[in-house]
Amino acid sequence: MSTSTPTTAIEPISVTELGARSILDSRGFPTLEVRGTLADGTELRAAAPAGASTGEHEAVELRDGGSAFSGRGVNVAITRLDDEIAPLITGRRWSSIDEVDGALAELDGTSGYRRLGANAVVAVSILATRAFAHAAGQPLHTWISTTTGADELLPVPHFNVLNGGAHAANALDFQEFMIAPVGAATEREAVDTGAEVYHVLRALVADRFGTAGLGDEGGFAPPLADPREALDLLVEAIVEAGRRPGTDDVAIALDPAANGFSLGDGRYRVGDELSRDQLVDYYLTLLDDYPIRSLEDGFAEDDGDGWTAMGEALRRPDGSWRVQTVGDDLYVTDPARIRAGAEKGWSDAVLIKPNQIGTVSQTFAAVATARELGMAAMVSHRSGETVDTFIADLVVGTGVGQIKSGAPARGERVAKYNRLTEIELDRPGLRYGLA
Ligand code: PEP
Ligand code: MG
């Protein structure tokens, strides 16, 4: 537990050994774990997560193909790491994360890290970030805050407690139904509130459906289809857990992940087939009826007209938004896409996933772009995860005030929430809440 004073001086790093192995992610598919040794003998690790409902423009994972693991092996990526990335990283001293990430991009030489694999690149970049924090004698979140110039902040967790879409086998068209304890006074209270609502929800689901089966992110995946049924269950669980459903106490957040129910040409299927305008109206009625604070990927990534229509419907005359409107697949953590979306009035918030863009310094740039444009940001896990807790330090150090890491259950999800409460213990007085 370091209490060192933040300093702006960046200590160079020297990695003497770097290697990778295949580990299993939370879906039981291979992913990369990178291990590095620093000049002082310190050993560091980092692991790559993997999405299922990925955006078209995301940085590209390198997968083996073939029949094993449905082609999802990472042996080719490991070989390229051994042959090319390791000699690069161990061959010299590095004085900034920008320098490391720039060299990785140059070595790769393609857009989206197609040659070396964004799964290898993101893990190496995270490991290098840990090395810089270690060299500076700072906790990772503090180093990130120092480096990005942001004020540290403990975020409001958005717990994905009901799963549908690409993350579950049920007929629910919307992917994620989250609860966000915005009214909690501390991270500890927020995490405990999320867990308590989750337990009540488990009993409600078991009682109603006779099953409490889970989706990929640890939320329940009962056999329901109508988003309103899911929202009613959430409200009931919040009330039964003794909290108030409301945007100032325990709020609801949705990630419909509309790519998953887009029929193309601006048409969608949510139960019935809906036009763009009908989908906007559908969201408006949900906002009228439920305490929803955040709506992510309400339209498909390639449906700019849909995003424009939704922006027009959700922006108030004073320029504020009726609900936080988040672009995930739409922006893929890419500063240029975020800027273009802001100019078109598509959203007022950005989802931040390091492996969508490939490196930590590009992730910092995405957060900086959002901040410059007056947009909010939410740091996010992927549906395929490991116990790596990098995003917990990332969200505190960038001070964006919001994270989603799945349900308050399952090791790979709670690793992040438990890291947040650990940071809170280490940093008494650090503020909890939205930015
Ligand atoms: C998401 O869509 O926000 C998400 C976390 O899912 P995935 O990791 O499958 O893209
Ligand atoms: Mg999403």
Short mmCIF file of all heavy atoms in Angstrom, two decimals, residues 364-425:
data_model
loop_
_atom_site.label_atom_id
_atom_site.label_comp_id
_atom_site.label_asym_id
_atom_site.label_seq_id
_atom_site.Cartn_x
_atom_site.Cartn_y
_atom_site.Cartn_z
N PHE A 364 -6.07 6.28 -23.35
CA PHE A 364 -5.97 7.60 -22.69
C PHE A 364 -6.44 8.70 -23.66
O PHE A 364 -7.11 9.64 -23.28
CB PHE A 364 -4.53 7.91 -22.28
CG PHE A 364 -4.00 7.06 -21.13
CD1 PHE A 364 -2.62 7.02 -20.87
CD2 PHE A 364 -4.84 6.34 -20.30
CE1 PHE A 364 -2.10 6.28 -19.82
CE2 PHE A 364 -4.33 5.58 -19.24
CZ PHE A 364 -2.95 5.55 -19.00
N ALA A 365 -6.05 8.55 -24.93
CA ALA A 365 -6.43 9.57 -25.93
C ALA A 365 -7.94 9.61 -26.12
O ALA A 365 -8.53 10.68 -26.30
CB ALA A 365 -5.72 9.30 -27.26
N ALA A 366 -8.58 8.44 -26.08
CA ALA A 366 -10.05 8.39 -26.23
C ALA A 366 -10.72 9.11 -25.05
O ALA A 366 -11.66 9.88 -25.24
CB ALA A 366 -10.52 6.94 -26.32
N VAL A 367 -10.21 8.86 -23.84
CA VAL A 367 -10.78 9.53 -22.66
C VAL A 367 -10.56 11.05 -22.77
O VAL A 367 -11.47 11.85 -22.51
CB VAL A 367 -10.16 9.00 -21.35
CG1 VAL A 367 -10.63 9.81 -20.15
CG2 VAL A 367 -10.49 7.53 -21.14
N ALA A 368 -9.36 11.43 -23.19
CA ALA A 368 -9.05 12.87 -23.32
C ALA A 368 -9.95 13.52 -24.36
O ALA A 368 -10.42 14.65 -24.18
CB ALA A 368 -7.58 13.05 -23.69
N THR A 369 -10.22 12.81 -25.45
CA THR A 369 -11.10 13.35 -26.50
C THR A 369 -12.51 13.55 -25.95
O THR A 369 -13.13 14.60 -26.16
CB THR A 369 -11.13 12.40 -27.71
OG1 THR A 369 -9.80 12.24 -28.18
CG2 THR A 369 -12.00 12.93 -28.83
N ALA A 370 -13.01 12.54 -25.26
CA ALA A 370 -14.35 12.66 -24.67
C ALA A 370 -14.40 13.87 -23.74
O ALA A 370 -15.32 14.69 -23.80
CB ALA A 370 -14.70 11.39 -23.91
N ARG A 371 -13.38 13.99 -22.91
CA ARG A 371 -13.35 15.09 -21.94
C ARG A 371 -13.32 16.44 -22.65
O ARG A 371 -14.07 17.36 -22.31
CB ARG A 371 -12.13 14.89 -21.06
CG ARG A 371 -12.15 15.67 -19.80
CD ARG A 371 -11.15 15.12 -18.78
NE ARG A 371 -11.77 14.26 -17.79
CZ ARG A 371 -11.19 13.17 -17.27
NH1 ARG A 371 -9.99 12.81 -17.67
NH2 ARG A 371 -11.82 12.47 -16.36
N GLU A 372 -12.48 16.54 -23.66
CA GLU A 372 -12.36 17.79 -24.42
C GLU A 372 -13.70 18.18 -25.05
O GLU A 372 -14.05 19.36 -25.14
CB GLU A 372 -11.30 17.60 -25.52
CG GLU A 372 -11.08 18.78 -26.43
CD GLU A 372 -10.51 18.32 -27.79
OE1 GLU A 372 -9.66 17.40 -27.80
OE2 GLU A 372 -10.93 18.89 -28.81
N LEU A 373 -14.46 17.18 -25.48
CA LEU A 373 -15.74 17.44 -26.16
C LEU A 373 -16.90 17.56 -25.19
O LEU A 373 -18.05 17.69 -25.61
CB LEU A 373 -16.02 16.31 -27.16
CG LEU A 373 -14.99 16.16 -28.29
CD1 LEU A 373 -15.20 14.87 -29.06
CD2 LEU A 373 -15.07 17.36 -29.24
N GLY A 374 -16.61 17.48 -23.89
CA GLY A 374 -17.66 17.59 -22.89
C GLY A 374 -18.53 16.35 -22.80
O GLY A 374 -19.67 16.41 -22.34
N MET A 375 -17.99 15.22 -23.25
CA MET A 375 -18.75 13.97 -23.17
C MET A 375 -18.37 13.19 -21.91
O MET A 375 -17.23 13.26 -21.46
CB MET A 375 -18.46 13.09 -24.41
CG MET A 375 -18.82 13.76 -25.71
SD MET A 375 -18.15 12.85 -27.11
CE MET A 375 -19.51 11.74 -27.48
N ALA A 376 -19.31 12.42 -21.39
CA ALA A 376 -19.01 11.53 -20.27
C ALA A 376 -18.35 10.26 -20.81
O ALA A 376 -18.35 10.02 -22.02
CB ALA A 376 -20.30 11.17 -19.53
N ALA A 377 -17.76 9.48 -19.92
CA ALA A 377 -17.15 8.21 -20.33
C ALA A 377 -17.40 7.15 -19.27
O ALA A 377 -17.54 7.45 -18.08
CB ALA A 377 -15.65 8.39 -20.56
N MET A 378 -17.49 5.91 -19.74
CA MET A 378 -17.66 4.76 -18.84
C MET A 378 -16.64 3.70 -19.25
O MET A 378 -16.59 3.29 -20.41
CB MET A 378 -19.08 4.18 -18.97
CG MET A 378 -19.36 3.05 -17.99
SD MET A 378 -20.94 2.18 -18.29
CE MET A 378 -22.15 3.44 -18.00
N VAL A 379 -15.81 3.28 -18.30
CA VAL A 379 -14.82 2.23 -18.58
C VAL A 379 -15.55 0.88 -18.53
O VAL A 379 -16.44 0.66 -17.70
CB VAL A 379 -13.66 2.29 -17.57
CG1 VAL A 379 -12.79 1.04 -17.63
CG2 VAL A 379 -12.82 3.55 -17.82
N SER A 380 -15.15 -0.04 -19.40
CA SER A 380 -15.88 -1.31 -19.52
C SER A 380 -14.95 -2.52 -19.64
O SER A 380 -13.90 -2.46 -20.28
CB SER A 380 -16.77 -1.25 -20.76
OG SER A 380 -17.36 -2.51 -21.04
N HIS A 381 -15.40 -3.59 -19.05
CA HIS A 381 -14.85 -4.94 -19.26
C HIS A 381 -15.30 -5.45 -20.63
O HIS A 381 -15.97 -4.74 -21.38
CB HIS A 381 -15.39 -5.87 -18.17
CG HIS A 381 -16.87 -6.10 -18.28
ND1 HIS A 381 -17.51 -7.20 -17.80
CD2 HIS A 381 -17.85 -5.34 -18.86
CE1 HIS A 381 -18.80 -7.13 -18.07
NE2 HIS A 381 -19.03 -6.01 -18.71
N ARG A 382 -14.96 -6.72 -20.95
CA ARG A 382 -15.53 -7.41 -22.10
C ARG A 382 -16.33 -8.61 -21.59
O ARG A 382 -16.15 -9.04 -20.45
CB ARG A 382 -14.43 -7.91 -23.06
CG ARG A 382 -13.55 -6.87 -23.67
CD ARG A 382 -14.30 -5.69 -24.29
NE ARG A 382 -15.24 -6.02 -25.34
CZ ARG A 382 -15.07 -5.77 -26.64
NH1 ARG A 382 -13.96 -5.18 -27.04
NH2 ARG A 382 -16.01 -6.07 -27.52
N SER A 383 -17.18 -9.16 -22.44
CA SER A 383 -17.98 -10.30 -21.99
C SER A 383 -17.10 -11.53 -21.74
O SER A 383 -17.42 -12.37 -20.90
CB SER A 383 -19.09 -10.61 -22.98
OG SER A 383 -18.56 -10.74 -24.29
N GLY A 384 -15.98 -11.65 -22.44
CA GLY A 384 -15.00 -12.68 -22.13
C GLY A 384 -13.90 -12.02 -21.31
O GLY A 384 -13.23 -11.11 -21.80
N GLU A 385 -13.71 -12.44 -20.07
CA GLU A 385 -12.77 -11.74 -19.18
C GLU A 385 -11.80 -12.70 -18.52
O GLU A 385 -11.93 -13.93 -18.58
CB GLU A 385 -13.54 -10.98 -18.08
CG GLU A 385 -13.86 -9.53 -18.43
CD GLU A 385 -12.61 -8.64 -18.52
OE1 GLU A 385 -11.56 -9.00 -17.95
OE2 GLU A 385 -12.69 -7.58 -19.18
N THR A 386 -10.82 -12.10 -17.85
CA THR A 386 -9.89 -12.83 -16.99
C THR A 386 -9.91 -12.12 -15.63
O THR A 386 -10.67 -11.16 -15.45
CB THR A 386 -8.46 -12.76 -17.55
OG1 THR A 386 -7.96 -11.43 -17.35
CG2 THR A 386 -8.42 -13.10 -19.04
N VAL A 387 -9.05 -12.55 -14.73
CA VAL A 387 -9.03 -11.89 -13.42
C VAL A 387 -8.12 -10.65 -13.42
O VAL A 387 -7.89 -10.05 -12.37
CB VAL A 387 -8.63 -12.85 -12.28
CG1 VAL A 387 -9.70 -13.90 -12.08
CG2 VAL A 387 -7.28 -13.50 -12.55
N ASP A 388 -7.62 -10.25 -14.57
CA ASP A 388 -6.82 -9.02 -14.66
C ASP A 388 -7.70 -7.84 -14.24
O ASP A 388 -8.84 -7.71 -14.70
CB ASP A 388 -6.33 -8.82 -16.10
CG ASP A 388 -5.30 -7.72 -16.21
OD1 ASP A 388 -5.61 -6.58 -15.81
OD2 ASP A 388 -4.18 -7.99 -16.69
N THR A 389 -7.17 -6.98 -13.38
CA THR A 389 -7.99 -5.88 -12.83
C THR A 389 -7.61 -4.51 -13.39
O THR A 389 -7.96 -3.48 -12.81
CB THR A 389 -7.84 -5.83 -11.29
OG1 THR A 389 -6.45 -5.68 -10.96
CG2 THR A 389 -8.38 -7.10 -10.66
N PHE A 390 -6.91 -4.49 -14.52
CA PHE A 390 -6.42 -3.21 -15.06
C PHE A 390 -7.51 -2.15 -15.15
O PHE A 390 -7.30 -0.98 -14.82
CB PHE A 390 -5.79 -3.41 -16.44
CG PHE A 390 -5.31 -2.14 -17.06
CD1 PHE A 390 -4.17 -1.50 -16.58
CD2 PHE A 390 -6.00 -1.54 -18.11
CE1 PHE A 390 -3.73 -0.31 -17.13
CE2 PHE A 390 -5.57 -0.34 -18.67
CZ PHE A 390 -4.43 0.27 -18.17
N ILE A 391 -8.71 -2.54 -15.62
CA ILE A 391 -9.74 -1.50 -15.85
C ILE A 391 -10.19 -0.82 -14.56
O ILE A 391 -10.68 0.31 -14.60
CB ILE A 391 -10.97 -2.03 -16.64
CG1 ILE A 391 -11.63 -3.18 -15.90
CG2 ILE A 391 -10.58 -2.37 -18.07
CD1 ILE A 391 -13.04 -3.51 -16.44
N ALA A 392 -10.01 -1.49 -13.41
CA ALA A 392 -10.38 -0.83 -12.14
C ALA A 392 -9.44 0.33 -11.87
O ALA A 392 -9.86 1.44 -11.52
CB ALA A 392 -10.35 -1.84 -10.99
N ASP A 393 -8.15 0.11 -12.04
CA ASP A 393 -7.19 1.20 -11.87
C ASP A 393 -7.37 2.26 -12.96
O ASP A 393 -7.22 3.47 -12.70
CB ASP A 393 -5.75 0.66 -11.88
CG ASP A 393 -5.40 -0.02 -10.57
OD1 ASP A 393 -5.81 -1.18 -10.37
OD2 ASP A 393 -4.73 0.62 -9.73
N LEU A 394 -7.70 1.80 -14.16
CA LEU A 394 -7.90 2.75 -15.27
C LEU A 394 -9.04 3.71 -14.96
O LEU A 394 -8.91 4.93 -15.16
CB LEU A 394 -8.20 1.96 -16.55
CG LEU A 394 -8.55 2.78 -17.79
CD1 LEU A 394 -7.33 3.57 -18.27
CD2 LEU A 394 -9.06 1.87 -18.92
N VAL A 395 -10.14 3.19 -14.46
CA VAL A 395 -11.29 4.07 -14.24
C VAL A 395 -11.02 5.05 -13.10
O VAL A 395 -11.41 6.22 -13.18
CB VAL A 395 -12.59 3.25 -14.01
CG1 VAL A 395 -12.60 2.53 -12.69
CG2 VAL A 395 -13.80 4.16 -14.12
N VAL A 396 -10.32 4.60 -12.06
CA VAL A 396 -10.00 5.52 -10.96
C VAL A 396 -9.01 6.58 -11.45
O VAL A 396 -9.18 7.78 -11.22
CB VAL A 396 -9.43 4.76 -9.74
CG1 VAL A 396 -8.94 5.74 -8.67
CG2 VAL A 396 -10.48 3.82 -9.16
N GLY A 397 -7.98 6.14 -12.16
CA GLY A 397 -6.91 7.06 -12.57
C GLY A 397 -7.34 8.06 -13.62
O GLY A 397 -6.82 9.17 -13.69
N THR A 398 -8.31 7.69 -14.46
CA THR A 398 -8.80 8.64 -15.47
C THR A 398 -9.97 9.47 -14.93
O THR A 398 -10.41 10.41 -15.59
CB THR A 398 -9.26 7.92 -16.75
OG1 THR A 398 -10.19 6.90 -16.40
CG2 THR A 398 -8.08 7.30 -17.50
N GLY A 399 -10.48 9.09 -13.77
CA GLY A 399 -11.48 9.91 -13.09
C GLY A 399 -12.79 10.08 -13.83
O GLY A 399 -13.49 11.07 -13.65
N VAL A 400 -13.18 9.07 -14.65
CA VAL A 400 -14.40 9.26 -15.45
C VAL A 400 -15.68 8.94 -14.67
O VAL A 400 -16.77 9.28 -15.11
CB VAL A 400 -14.36 8.46 -16.77
CG1 VAL A 400 -13.19 8.90 -17.64
CG2 VAL A 400 -14.32 6.96 -16.53
N GLY A 401 -15.54 8.26 -13.51
CA GLY A 401 -16.68 8.13 -12.60
C GLY A 401 -17.69 7.04 -12.92
O GLY A 401 -18.70 6.93 -12.21
N GLN A 402 -17.45 6.22 -13.94
CA GLN A 402 -18.40 5.15 -14.26
C GLN A 402 -17.65 3.93 -14.77
O GLN A 402 -16.74 4.06 -15.59
CB GLN A 402 -19.37 5.57 -15.37
CG GLN A 402 -20.08 6.88 -15.15
CD GLN A 402 -21.03 7.18 -16.30
OE1 GLN A 402 -22.08 6.56 -16.44
NE2 GLN A 402 -20.68 8.13 -17.14
N ILE A 403 -18.08 2.74 -14.30
CA ILE A 403 -17.51 1.50 -14.81
C ILE A 403 -18.63 0.48 -14.96
O ILE A 403 -19.62 0.51 -14.23
CB ILE A 403 -16.42 0.93 -13.87
CG1 ILE A 403 -15.68 -0.26 -14.51
CG2 ILE A 403 -17.00 0.52 -12.52
CD1 ILE A 403 -14.46 -0.73 -13.74
N LYS A 404 -18.48 -0.42 -15.95
CA LYS A 404 -19.32 -1.61 -15.97
C LYS A 404 -18.41 -2.82 -16.06
O LYS A 404 -17.48 -2.85 -16.86
CB LYS A 404 -20.38 -1.58 -17.07
CG LYS A 404 -19.89 -1.62 -18.50
CD LYS A 404 -21.07 -1.79 -19.46
CE LYS A 404 -20.62 -2.19 -20.85
NZ LYS A 404 -21.72 -2.52 -21.76
N SER A 405 -18.65 -3.78 -15.16
CA SER A 405 -17.83 -4.99 -15.13
C SER A 405 -18.69 -6.21 -14.86
O SER A 405 -18.26 -7.15 -14.20
CB SER A 405 -16.73 -4.85 -14.06
OG SER A 405 -15.95 -6.01 -13.99
N GLY A 406 -19.94 -6.17 -15.36
CA GLY A 406 -20.80 -7.34 -15.22
C GLY A 406 -21.47 -7.41 -13.88
O GLY A 406 -21.58 -6.42 -13.15
N ALA A 407 -21.91 -8.62 -13.54
CA ALA A 407 -22.65 -8.85 -12.29
C ALA A 407 -21.72 -8.73 -11.08
O ALA A 407 -20.51 -8.85 -11.23
CB ALA A 407 -23.27 -10.24 -12.33
N PRO A 408 -22.31 -8.52 -9.89
CA PRO A 408 -21.49 -8.56 -8.68
C PRO A 408 -21.30 -10.01 -8.23
O PRO A 408 -21.52 -10.36 -7.07
CB PRO A 408 -22.32 -7.75 -7.68
CG PRO A 408 -23.73 -7.94 -8.13
CD PRO A 408 -23.70 -8.14 -9.62
N ALA A 409 -20.91 -10.87 -9.15
CA ALA A 409 -20.69 -12.29 -8.89
C ALA A 409 -19.83 -12.83 -10.01
O ALA A 409 -19.82 -12.27 -11.11
CB ALA A 409 -22.02 -13.05 -8.84
N ARG A 410 -19.17 -13.95 -9.76
CA ARG A 410 -18.21 -14.60 -10.68
C ARG A 410 -16.86 -13.90 -10.58
O ARG A 410 -16.76 -12.68 -10.65
CB ARG A 410 -18.67 -14.63 -12.14
CG ARG A 410 -19.87 -15.52 -12.32
CD ARG A 410 -20.36 -15.68 -13.73
NE ARG A 410 -19.32 -15.66 -14.72
CZ ARG A 410 -19.43 -16.24 -15.92
NH1 ARG A 410 -20.54 -16.92 -16.20
NH2 ARG A 410 -18.49 -16.15 -16.80
N GLY A 411 -15.83 -14.74 -10.42
CA GLY A 411 -14.49 -14.24 -10.10
C GLY A 411 -13.97 -13.17 -11.02
O GLY A 411 -13.41 -12.15 -10.57
N GLU A 412 -14.15 -13.37 -12.35
CA GLU A 412 -13.56 -12.42 -13.30
C GLU A 412 -14.26 -11.07 -13.25
O GLU A 412 -13.69 -10.06 -13.63
CB GLU A 412 -13.56 -13.01 -14.72
CG GLU A 412 -14.91 -13.00 -15.44
CD GLU A 412 -15.88 -14.10 -15.00
OE1 GLU A 412 -15.54 -14.85 -14.07
OE2 GLU A 412 -16.98 -14.21 -15.58
N ARG A 413 -15.54 -11.04 -12.79
CA ARG A 413 -16.28 -9.77 -12.66
C ARG A 413 -15.95 -9.10 -11.34
O ARG A 413 -15.65 -7.92 -11.29
CB ARG A 413 -17.80 -10.00 -12.76
CG ARG A 413 -18.23 -10.86 -13.93
CD ARG A 413 -17.95 -10.26 -15.28
NE ARG A 413 -17.72 -11.33 -16.26
CZ ARG A 413 -17.33 -11.13 -17.52
NH1 ARG A 413 -17.15 -9.91 -17.99
NH2 ARG A 413 -17.13 -12.15 -18.31
N VAL A 414 -16.01 -9.87 -10.24
CA VAL A 414 -15.80 -9.24 -8.93
C VAL A 414 -14.34 -8.86 -8.70
O VAL A 414 -14.05 -8.02 -7.85
CB VAL A 414 -16.33 -10.12 -7.77
CG1 VAL A 414 -17.82 -10.35 -7.92
CG2 VAL A 414 -15.57 -11.42 -7.64
N ALA A 415 -13.41 -9.46 -9.47
CA ALA A 415 -12.01 -9.05 -9.33
C ALA A 415 -11.90 -7.53 -9.49
O ALA A 415 -11.16 -6.86 -8.76
CB ALA A 415 -11.15 -9.76 -10.38
N LYS A 416 -12.65 -6.97 -10.44
CA LYS A 416 -12.58 -5.52 -10.70
C LYS A 416 -13.26 -4.75 -9.56
O LYS A 416 -12.73 -3.74 -9.07
CB LYS A 416 -13.26 -5.16 -12.02
CG LYS A 416 -12.44 -5.47 -13.27
CD LYS A 416 -12.30 -6.94 -13.57
CE LYS A 416 -11.91 -7.26 -14.99
NZ LYS A 416 -11.64 -8.70 -15.19
N TYR A 417 -14.44 -5.20 -9.15
CA TYR A 417 -15.15 -4.48 -8.08
C TYR A 417 -14.36 -4.57 -6.77
O TYR A 417 -14.28 -3.60 -6.02
CB TYR A 417 -16.56 -5.06 -7.90
CG TYR A 417 -17.44 -4.90 -9.13
CD1 TYR A 417 -18.14 -5.98 -9.67
CD2 TYR A 417 -17.58 -3.66 -9.76
CE1 TYR A 417 -18.95 -5.84 -10.80
CE2 TYR A 417 -18.38 -3.51 -10.89
CZ TYR A 417 -19.06 -4.60 -11.40
OH TYR A 417 -19.85 -4.46 -12.52
N ASN A 418 -13.77 -5.75 -6.51
CA ASN A 418 -12.98 -5.88 -5.28
C ASN A 418 -11.72 -5.02 -5.33
O ASN A 418 -11.26 -4.52 -4.30
CB ASN A 418 -12.61 -7.35 -5.04
CG ASN A 418 -13.83 -8.18 -4.63
OD1 ASN A 418 -14.81 -7.64 -4.12
ND2 ASN A 418 -13.77 -9.48 -4.84
N ARG A 419 -11.15 -4.85 -6.49
CA ARG A 419 -10.00 -3.94 -6.62
C ARG A 419 -10.44 -2.50 -6.32
O ARG A 419 -9.71 -1.74 -5.68
CB ARG A 419 -9.40 -4.05 -8.04
CG ARG A 419 -8.31 -3.03 -8.36
CD ARG A 419 -7.04 -3.23 -7.55
NE ARG A 419 -6.09 -2.17 -7.82
CZ ARG A 419 -5.31 -1.59 -6.91
NH1 ARG A 419 -5.32 -2.00 -5.64
NH2 ARG A 419 -4.47 -0.64 -7.24
N LEU A 420 -11.64 -2.12 -6.76
CA LEU A 420 -12.11 -0.76 -6.48
C LEU A 420 -12.27 -0.52 -4.99
O LEU A 420 -11.87 0.53 -4.47
CB LEU A 420 -13.45 -0.50 -7.20
CG LEU A 420 -13.38 -0.40 -8.72
CD1 LEU A 420 -14.77 -0.33 -9.32
CD2 LEU A 420 -12.55 0.82 -9.15
N THR A 421 -12.83 -1.51 -4.27
CA THR A 421 -12.99 -1.31 -2.82
C THR A 421 -11.63 -1.35 -2.13
O THR A 421 -11.44 -0.72 -1.09
CB THR A 421 -13.96 -2.33 -2.21
OG1 THR A 421 -13.56 -3.66 -2.57
CG2 THR A 421 -15.39 -2.09 -2.69
N GLU A 422 -10.67 -2.07 -2.71
CA GLU A 422 -9.31 -2.07 -2.16
C GLU A 422 -8.68 -0.68 -2.32
O GLU A 422 -8.06 -0.15 -1.39
CB GLU A 422 -8.46 -3.12 -2.86
CG GLU A 422 -7.03 -3.17 -2.35
CD GLU A 422 -6.18 -4.19 -3.12
OE1 GLU A 422 -6.17 -4.17 -4.36
OE2 GLU A 422 -5.52 -5.00 -2.46
N ILE A 423 -8.86 -0.10 -3.50
CA ILE A 423 -8.30 1.25 -3.72
C ILE A 423 -8.93 2.23 -2.72
O ILE A 423 -8.25 3.09 -2.15
CB ILE A 423 -8.55 1.71 -5.18
CG1 ILE A 423 -7.74 0.84 -6.15
CG2 ILE A 423 -8.19 3.19 -5.36
CD1 ILE A 423 -8.07 1.07 -7.64
N GLU A 424 -10.23 2.05 -2.49
CA GLU A 424 -10.91 2.95 -1.54
C GLU A 424 -10.31 2.82 -0.14
O GLU A 424 -10.10 3.82 0.56
CB GLU A 424 -12.40 2.63 -1.50
CG GLU A 424 -13.19 3.54 -0.58
CD GLU A 424 -14.69 3.38 -0.79
OE1 GLU A 424 -15.20 2.25 -0.58
OE2 GLU A 424 -15.35 4.36 -1.17
N LEU A 425 -10.00 1.58 0.25
CA LEU A 425 -9.38 1.37 1.57
C LEU A 425 -8.00 2.02 1.63
O LEU A 425 -7.59 2.59 2.64
CB LEU A 425 -9.22 -0.12 1.84
CG LEU A 425 -10.39 -0.87 2.46
CD1 LEU A 425 -10.01 -2.33 2.64
CD2 LEU A 425 -10.79 -0.25 3.79
#
